Amino acid sequence: MRIALGISYLGTAYQGWQSQPSGQTVQDRLESALGQFATVPIATLCAGRTDAGVHGLMQVVHFDTDLVREPFSWVRGTNRFLPPDIAVQWAQPAPDAFHARASALARRYTYVLLESPVRPSVDAGRVGWTFRPLDGDALRQGAKHLIGEHDFTSFRASACQALSPVKHLTRIDISRRGAYWRFDFEASAFLHHMIRNIMGCLLQIGQGLQPPGWMREVLAARDRDAAAPTFAPDGLYFLGPRYGPEWGLPERTAAYDWLP
């Protein structure tokens, strides 16, 4: 039987999603909890790996098991063995043809940024920070240059394992509520550090250090050295994948609701 789970987590204390020898990753903690609940080892496959310090509001995983349990039992039973900063949000059986990564049509992220003369305190680790004022019009003009299918080599980490730097970025929405900016991204897939590198460039534009057209030049350069430094992971959230309606999986969870 194939089971799909929706997972939320605060990534601050973890070395990213993917299992590491240290055991200090979200996948390691989830598989340990699943194994304790099921009393047999369980290996998971996820929709999209996140980096150290990046959070997840609806990471989707699947696994195969002979153990028959009600969906609510997978949720409550697994959460019993998870730390407070990781939680299973939902569980449901899935067809054998479903694959958390390969079945995804797109992936969504949000970056939450605090604009303030003073650094974050109660939301430290959960938001990015800029002390310089941002120009929203300039941000949106710069972002427009990235929409569509492009070679995103300029925004790709040197350790990226993707087979191709060509991705189709379908959406960047930028909004503000009080002191908080929200940047919503959707694409077929993302390269390693791609959003954080885009954020670094957007802040250069929003702060008036570069004109909006500079983003087009960075993209065309296909050279990581042409872009701004990688921005902090603190405010980056994986909102989850998009699947076709045939799989019947949730689009979002209550974990979204705190976002500004």
Side-chain angles (χ1 to χ4, degrees), residues 56-72:
L57 297 185
M58 202 178 81
Q59 175 70 268
V60 176
V61 307
H62 81 260
F63 60 89
D64 294 322
T65 180
D66 295 327
L67 188 65
V68 178
R69 293 287 187 272
E70 293 295 326
F72 74 87

Side-chain angles (χ1 to χ4, degrees), residues 115-130:
E115 180 190 311
S116 170
V118 180
R119 61 171 174 78
S121 54
V122 295
D123 48 6
R126 303 184 185 190
V127 297
W129 173 52
T130 177

Side-chain angles (χ1 to χ4, degrees), residues 70-86:
E70 293 295 326
F72 74 87
S73 294
W74 284 109
V75 174
R76 295 180 183 177
T78 306
N79 283 342
R80 176 184 174 191
F81 297 103
L82 283 170
D85 50 6
I86 306 174

Side-chain angles (χ1 to χ4, degrees), residues 140-148 150 152 169 172 205 211-217 219:
R140 294 180 185 93
Q141 290 174 32
K144 285 181 180 178
H145 296 295
L146 301 177
I147 300 301
H150 302 288
F152 284 94
L169 186 56
I172 304 178
I205 292 169
W214 176 67
M215 188 71 84
R216 180 179 61 248
E217 298 173 11
L219 182 66

Side-chain angles (χ1 to χ4, degrees), residues 167-202:
K167 302 299 174 188
H168 188 182
L169 186 56
T170 56
R171 183 169 66 93
I172 304 178
D173 291 336
I174 301 172
S175 58
R176 182 175 185 175
R177 180 180 297 178
Y180 294 90
W181 291 86
R182 176 170 170 170
F183 300 76
D184 286 292
F185 300 84
E186 183 167 342
S188 56
F190 291 89
L191 302 168
H192 189 195
H193 285 176
M194 178 173 161
I195 294 177
R196 291 171 58 192
N197 291 333
I198 290 174
M199 284 298 303
C201 291
L202 284 174

